[in-house]
Amino acid sequence: EIVLTQSPATLSLSPGDRATLSCRASQSVGSHLIWYQQKLGQAPRLLIDDASNRATGIPDRFSGSGSGTDFTLTISSLEPEDFAVYYCQQRTSWPLTFGGGTKVE
Amino acid sequence: EVQLLESGGNLVQPGGSLRLSCAASGFTFSNYPMSWVRQAPGKGLDWVSTISGNDDRVFYADSVKGRFTISRDNSKNTLYVEMNSLRADDTAVYYCARRTISWGGFDIWGQGTMVTVSS
């Protein structure tokens, strides 16, 4: 099973700040790394597919990068609605696994 | 509008059974792999199971293998999961989620249905 480790667990920032979230895989996942945003009481929302491809309707302040075992989600300038929990997920192999999440507060 | 609507969540005793349903609308259901993902209270996301569009491939997390059965009825645009031998650690919100047609990320999610396993 591929283990995904997200850091930091919590990121304390202000609107307008740049947010940098990390996801590290226990073995290579190539580019098959996905990012989601989840707000309190809501279902997750797909942000980034295959490491760097923004999903439909996702603002360009969200960007993803990385390959192999190290990945980054960057929010260039935080908007009030961006404060949420962010999860990474790998689709390289079964079982599909998620990271533990990073809370941006 | 593309939509997924789960139902069937309930309070059930340990060892009991439950069947969840997910009604899909707004897209060609049979073209897409579908999955169940759960989230225990205050915890992260946990993949449960995936079924291919034409029902010829199914995949399960080890934690549910042998206890849960995923299925779909493409004529009714509905996804199911039959859950048996339920345990306290199965307590979670269960989300129905569509994978992209290329087996990528989960691009559409339902609102979730709560399953509580407790005596």
Side-chain angles (χ1 to χ4, degrees), chain A residues 1 34 36 38 41-50 55 87 89-92 94-101, chain B residues 35 37 39 43-47 49-50 59-62 95 99-100 102-112:
Chain A
E1 169 174 324
I34 301 153
Y36 301 90
Q38 187 178 32
Q42 296 185 16
R45 176 172 73 143
L46 177 66
L47 293 178
I48 303 284
D49 206 345
D50 280 353
Y87 294 96
Q89 179 230 320
Q90 65 81 22
R91 69 172 185 92
T92 290
W94 305 98
L96 305 181
T97 50
F98 290 88
Chain B
S35 299
V37 178
Q39 188 168 35
K43 302 297 184 182
L45 301 170
D46 181 32
W47 169 76
S49 182
T50 295
F59 304 90
Y60 295 99
D62 284 347
Y95 293 104
R99 288 190 76 174
T100 64
S102 58
W103 290 73
F106 300 112
D107 63 346
I108 303 295
W109 296 69
Q111 86 291 346

Side-chain angles (χ1 to χ4, degrees), chain A residues 10 25 28 37 40 48 51 71 80-81 88 98-99:
Chain A
T10 304
S28 178
Q37 176 194 67
L40 192 64
I48 303 284
F71 298 86
E81 62 267 28
C88 58
F98 290 88

